[in-house]
């Protein structure tokens, strides 16, 4: 691939969303411009697809002196950003139309929504593609700043409170990640690595045996805790259910579907440095206990949950804990499984959250006990939500069935088989809680006096249908992406 092409493919996923955001800042959000938002994730997806065909066979592509770098791991995550971003942006016009019809949005708030969502996509693309750990920290912090305004989009008391909680907790986490980054830089400089390369991830990984072990241990621990906060992991997880339940549905889809995955990719890159410098035991122990504690908390809260958007948020914690457990196992099979799980979870959770926004517009409540007979009242909407929940429960043919099976297999092939048994028990309890609550919402006759909704238009049913189709396709075969997934697993696994 010519150098100019590499620069284009690495730059466009960052520049295109920023340009679309600038366009919305100038023109506003109108029916004539609403669908222009698809240009942003479309550009990300096109560049990721081009890189996916080239990187597995020819190695990583870089630009700007290595500041931007696309290895197989980054390309896999970028595909997720583009796909879930397209799903969220396609669902946004119908969602905002419902918000305006219900009096919860005006022209100014919808314009801000358009600007901030695409800045959010640009920040996630930068976090995915940068090879510099300092720029990675800046990009992840940028996602916090942008999404804080999106969480409080409705300007209700609960929304503003959730936004402040999100900012405070995630800022604390990002501060820990900053200290970890500084300590890794300090270790690199004292190991003789030049100032220009002291935060370059490939350079740090190649020279990890020269780094001071005590400094790396502390730095990696702080980075794992800090970026783990953005990934919704214990102990800095309390922001997640409030933020996801109060944000507009397409934003919740992006936050749960890809922001958690982008943040966990940062965790994974620091884990690899720690493994190379300290051996696998240190990061494995941290990730293992974090995974089990997060899964325990998520299961306990799912059992008593009465709000369907918060139910989906705690489900995100459950799935991130399984991904963390796979990272603790650390084999190539485990890393392949966690990457496939990230993709399937992103698609299924994107559909579930986008559907929950339409459920809110239809029923005017997020209380599970007040939603009945959804399949009878709105078959297309109820069907999309129900299938998304089935995907999240890891039932075939959806890809989470294959990924959870592979995580269990990888765990039983490692010394962590006992942890897999504990996780499976907790997952079964979560399965029962989610099944019971969604069944109440979906089944039964249409409530007396409930008016039938307007016929679902293309903009309402097409994005969920596409997301579920891709999720099922990944569960049936991974063949088109097999080489990319294998190359990404070689980076992250041992």
């Amino acid at each position: 691939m010519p150098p100019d092409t590499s620069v284009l493919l690495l730059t466009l996923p960052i520049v295109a969303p920023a340009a679309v955001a600038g366009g919305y800042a100038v023109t506003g959000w109108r029916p004539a411009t609403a669908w222009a938002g698809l240009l942003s994730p479309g550009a990300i997806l096109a560049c990721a697809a081009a890189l996916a065909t080239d990187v597995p066979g020819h190695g990583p592509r870089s630009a700007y002196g290595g500041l931007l770098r696309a290895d197989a791991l980054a390309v896999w995550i970028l595909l997720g950003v583009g796909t879930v971003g397209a799903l969220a942006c396609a669902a946004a016009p119908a969602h905002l139309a419902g918000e305006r019809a219900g009096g919860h949005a005006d022209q100014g708030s919808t314009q801000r929504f358009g600007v901030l969502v695409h800045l959010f996509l640009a920040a996630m693309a930068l976090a995915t593609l940068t090879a510099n750990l300092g720029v990675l920290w800046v990009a992840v912090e940028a996602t916090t700043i942008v999404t804080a305004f999106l969480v409080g989009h409705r300007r209700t008391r609960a929304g503003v409170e959730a936004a402040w909680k999100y900012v405070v907790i995630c800022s604390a986490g990002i501060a820990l990640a900053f200290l970890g980054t500084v300590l890794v830089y300090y270790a690199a400089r004292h190991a003789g690595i030049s100032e220009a390369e002291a935060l370059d991830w490939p350079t740090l990984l190649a020279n990890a045996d020269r780094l001071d072990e005590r400094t790396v241990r502390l730095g990696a621990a702080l980075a794992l805790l800090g970026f783990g906060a953005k990934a919704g992991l214990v102990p800095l997880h309390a922001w997640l259910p409030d933020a996801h339940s109060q944000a507009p549905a397409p934003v919740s889809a992006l936050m749960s579907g890809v922001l958690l995955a982008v943040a966990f990719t940062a965790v994974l890159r620091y884990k690899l440095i720690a493994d190379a410098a300290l051996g696998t035991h240190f990061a494995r122990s941290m990730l293992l206990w974090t995974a089990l504690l997060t899964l325990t908390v998520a299961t306990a809260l799912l059992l008593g949950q009465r709000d369907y958007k918060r139910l989906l948020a705690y489900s995100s914690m459950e799935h991130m804990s399984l991904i963390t457990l796979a990272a603790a196992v650390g084999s190539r099979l485990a890393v392949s499984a966690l990457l496939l799980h990230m993709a399937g979870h992103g698609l299924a959770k994107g559909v579930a959250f986008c559907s929950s926004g339409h459920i809110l517009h239809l029923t005017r409540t997020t209380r599970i006990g007040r939603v009945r007979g959804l399949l009878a009242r709105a078959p297309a909407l109820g069907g999309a939500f129900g299938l998304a929940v089935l995907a999240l429960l890891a039932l075939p043919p959806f890809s989470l069935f294959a990924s959870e099976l592979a995580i269990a297999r990888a765990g039983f092939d490692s010394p962590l088989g006992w942890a897999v048994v504990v996780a499976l028990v907790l997952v079964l309890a979560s399965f029962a809680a989610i099944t019971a609550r969604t069944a109440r919402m979906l089944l039964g006759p249409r409530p007396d006096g409930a008016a039938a909704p307007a016929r679902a238009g293309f903009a309402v049913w097409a994005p969920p249908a596409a997301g579920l189709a891709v999720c099922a396709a990944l569960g049936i075969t991974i063949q088109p992406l097999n080489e990319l997934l294998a190359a990404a697993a070689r980076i992250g696994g041992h």
Side-chain angles (χ1 to χ4, degrees), residues 18-325:
V20 173
Y24 280 130
V26 174
T27 64
W29 181 286
R30 298 182 178 86
T33 61
W35 291 98
L38 284 173
L39 294 174
S40 170
I44 295 173
L45 196 54
C47 292
L51 290 166
T53 62
D54 180 74
V55 167
H58 299 93
R61 297 298 173 183
S62 60
Y64 306 110
L67 181 64
L68 298 181
R69 182 176 184 269
D71 56 17
L73 178 59
V75 174
W76 181 270
I77 301 301
L78 194 66
L79 282 170
V81 174
T83 305
V84 181
L87 171 64
C89 289
H95 175 80
L96 289 178
E99 289 284 285
R100 296 186 73 169
H104 300 297
D106 54 23
Q107 181 61 32
S109 63
T110 53
Q111 181 178 12
R112 286 192 298 275
F113 177 93
V115 172
L116 292 171
V117 162
H118 294 283
L119 289 178
F120 183 25
L121 288 172
M124 288 193 291
L126 177 59
T128 301
L129 290 173
T130 185
N132 186 285
L133 297 182
V135 177
L136 171 63
W137 180 86
V138 170
V140 173
E141 174 67 359
T143 65
T144 303
I145 296 170
V146 170
T147 49
F149 292 99
L150 289 167
V151 169
H153 174 74
R154 279 192 165 194
R155 296 188 177 182
T156 62
R157 179 176 179 178
V160 172
E161 180 181 343
W164 275 109
K165 189 173 184 179
Y166 173 57
V167 168
V168 171
I169 295 176
C170 286
S171 294
I174 290 299
L176 294 176
F178 177 74
L179 290 175
T181 303
V182 170
L183 287 170
V184 170
Y185 176 82
Y186 174 83
R189 293 292 289 129
H190 278 259
I193 299 175
S194 68
E195 182 178 344
E197 296 183 320
L199 286 177
D200 181 65
W201 182 76
T203 301
L204 288 168
L205 191 61
N207 295 278
D209 58 337
R210 296 165 51 192
L211 302 179
D212 178 71
E213 292 188 3
R214 289 175 297 179
T215 306
V216 171
R217 183 177 289 107
L218 180 57
L222 290 171
L224 292 176
L225 284 172
F227 288 116
K230 288 289 292 187
L233 301 176
V234 167
L236 297 175
H237 65 284
W239 65 270
L240 189 145
D242 292 316
H244 287 201
S245 65
Q246 293 301 319
V251 176
S252 296
L254 285 172
M255 292 177 72
S256 185
V258 284
L259 177 59
L260 301 183
V262 169
F264 192 81
T265 306
V267 171
L268 194 57
R269 292 201 183 275
Y270 273 93
K271 172 194 177 290
L272 295 176
I273 294 173
D275 286 348
L278 309 170
T280 59
H281 178 74
F282 172 73
R284 170 178 287 180
S285 297
M286 277 198 67
L287 292 175
L288 172 63
W289 291 109
T290 298
L292 293 179
L293 286 172
T294 302
L295 185 54
T296 301
V297 170
T299 301
L301 293 170
L302 280 168
L303 289 171
Q305 196 48 240
R306 297 293 181 267
D307 183 297
Y308 57 79
K309 290 195 76 175
R310 293 177 72 88
L311 183 85
L312 295 175
Y314 287 122
S315 169
S316 296
M317 288 179 59
E318 175 208 350
H319 285 282
M320 290 309 300
S321 65
L322 293 177
I323 288 169
T324 307
L325 178 60

Side-chain angles (χ1 to χ4, degrees), residues 271 275 280-292 295 321-332 334-335 338 404-425 494:
K271 172 194 177 290
D275 286 348
T280 59
H281 178 74
F282 172 73
R284 170 178 287 180
S285 297
M286 277 198 67
L287 292 175
L288 172 63
W289 291 109
T290 298
L292 293 179
L295 185 54
S321 65
L322 293 177
I323 288 169
T324 307
L325 178 60
V329 173
S331 65
R332 290 187 181 180
V335 175
L338 77 84
E404 288 195 12
L405 194 63
I407 290 172
R409 178 185 167 190
F412 284 126
D413 288 341
S414 76
L416 302 182
W418 65 270
V420 175
V421 173
V422 174
L424 288 176
V425 172
H494 51 73

Side-chain angles (χ1 to χ4, degrees), residues 476-494:
I476 296 169
T477 178
I478 194 65
Q479 186 56 43
L481 298 172
N482 190 49
E483 290 187 14
L484 178 65
L485 183 60
R490 286 194 294 272
I491 295 172
H494 51 73

